[in-house]
Amino acid sequence: MDTLTRMRAFISVVEAEGFSAAARRIGRSKALLSKYVRELEDELGALLLNRTTRQFSLTEAGHTYYRRASEIVREVDSLADAVRESSGDVRGRIKLSAPRTFADAPIGQALIDFAVAHPQIVLEIQLDDRFVDLVEEGFDLAVRITRLENSSLIARRLSPFAIKLCASPGVVEKYGALERPQDLVDKPCVIDTNGRWLSNWPFVGDNGQMFTVSVTGRIEVNSPMAARAAAVSGLGWAVLPDFIAEPDIKAGRLVPMLDDRMPKGGGIFAVYPHRRYLPAKVRVFVDFLVQWFRTAEG
């Protein structure tokens, strides 16, 4: 059995966090994967995994080997992708990290549309609102909704992004329109605890500097979709991603306010690690997303 096969088996076990889960994911037996990993350890003369009936963990050598082995396998796969691309045959598995906000909103349809359009590509989507380490955790790329900071990653902008301060028409009628951000202090607000601001909402001052207003309300929820539903139901003002709020704004169920005071410059980005060769499957996926958003915005 060649080293590359053993290497792939080891990577599968690490990423699935166990032999049984890896066996189910890739369609091999648990015994066969255990055999491959044991042979790899014998070949290296080092223990890579700590195995007990209750725990599974990487040794220090295992961490080092996993990181480098993942890079090697990606390079090998990139080479195969390049050859397939030249013959018009792009296939393989894409491991994608995306925030729940993205997948739950209407724009998450972009992922479904890609899967329909490319039946030879397996799209493994892991929804997580934290910023994953793409290299360390073996992701091909991630979709991020943010202001892009300095990064060692390559980023491609898919769409602009802004936040909206909204309330239902009934709330506006009852409490009056907001004239300045500070008016929120004694108004009911819906707090999204999954957002980075929690109850300290950001605004832009007269001098262009950012400041925050501390708000309170009767409902706190860790989902912008649930925050949207609460705002539509009249439970108060909410700060929402524009792609979640816009359908309700257009339908008159939500009223936006203080747009000139809301932070600007955010975006939805596809980000991926610096690599010598970008896998064709990843390039095809990113190109698809760019075109999908361009069509949606057009």
Side-chain angles (χ1 to χ4, degrees), residues 16-275:
E17 299 183 349
F19 287 91
S20 297
R24 289 192 297 271
R25 177 179 294 183
I26 66 175
R28 297 289 186 91
S29 72
K30 177 181 175 181
L32 184 60
L33 292 181
S34 180
K35 173 177 177 290
Y36 287 166
V37 173
R38 187 170 59 253
E39 289 175 349
L40 182 62
E41 290 175 325
D42 291 342
E43 179 182 327
L44 297 170
L47 185 67
L48 301 177
L49 297 174
N50 291 313
R51 312 168 182 77
T52 69
T53 56
R54 294 179 177 272
Q55 292 183 331
F56 168 90
S57 63
L58 285 166
T59 64
E60 184 176 349
H63 277 288
T64 301
Y65 191 84
Y66 170 73
R67 185 168 54 252
R68 295 298 303 277
S70 296
E71 293 173 0
I72 292 169
V73 168
R74 278 195 293 267
E75 289 294 327
V76 170
D77 289 343
S78 294
L79 178 59
D81 281 342
V83 174
R84 292 191 188 106
E85 186 179 24
S86 65
S87 64
D89 182 21
V90 179
R91 62 178 63 212
R93 175 183 292 268
I94 296 175
K95 186 177 179 183
L96 167 72
S97 172
R100 291 182 177 87
T101 302
F102 179 91
D104 292 343
I107 57 176
Q109 183 65 37
L111 305 180
I112 305 303
D113 289 348
F114 176 80
V116 171
H118 295 274
Q120 299 301 316
I121 294 179
V122 176
L123 191 57
E124 179 187 343
I125 306 167
Q126 293 196 17
L127 303 179
D128 200 324
D129 293 316
R130 68 185 176 89
F131 275 20
V132 301
D133 186 318
L134 298 185
V135 175
E136 185 70 26
E137 299 179 51
F139 286 94
D140 291 296
L141 77 163
V143 171
R144 290 184 177 168
I145 305 171
T146 183
R147 285 187 173 195
L148 197 64
E149 308 292 343
N150 291 334
S151 171
S152 61
L153 302 173
I154 300 173
R156 190 164 174 189
R157 187 185 180 100
L158 303 176
S159 175
F161 163 73
I163 56 174
K164 294 282 189 179
L165 175 65
C166 304
S168 68
V171 166
V172 176
E173 182 179 355
K174 180 177 180 179
Y175 294 95
L178 302 174
E179 297 183 3
R180 57 187 190 134
Q182 291 84 346
D183 293 343
L184 285 165
V185 170
D186 60 352
K187 304 291 193 301
C189 294
V190 179
I191 298 169
D192 180 6
T193 58
N194 200 46
R196 63 163 63 178
W197 304 292
L198 300 178
S199 59
N200 295 304
W201 289 359
F203 296 94
V204 179
D206 292 331
N207 59 1
Q209 298 297 310
M210 297 284 294
F211 70 97
T212 60
V213 173
S214 182
V215 300
T216 58
R218 292 192 300 111
I219 183 167
E220 299 180 2
V221 62
N222 66 340
S223 162
M225 294 297 288
R228 178 208 65 82
V232 169
S233 298
L235 289 174
W237 277 264
V239 170
L240 302 169
D242 57 356
F243 55 80
I244 288 179
E246 285 297 345
D248 292 303
I249 291 173
K250 290 179 179 178
R253 292 184 293 267
L254 288 176
V255 179
M257 292 189 176
L258 303 179
D259 275 351
D260 60 331
R261 295 295 190 180
M262 304 308 291
K264 303 294 191 298
I268 302 174
F269 296 90
V271 298
Y272 43 90
H274 283 276
R275 291 181 187 150

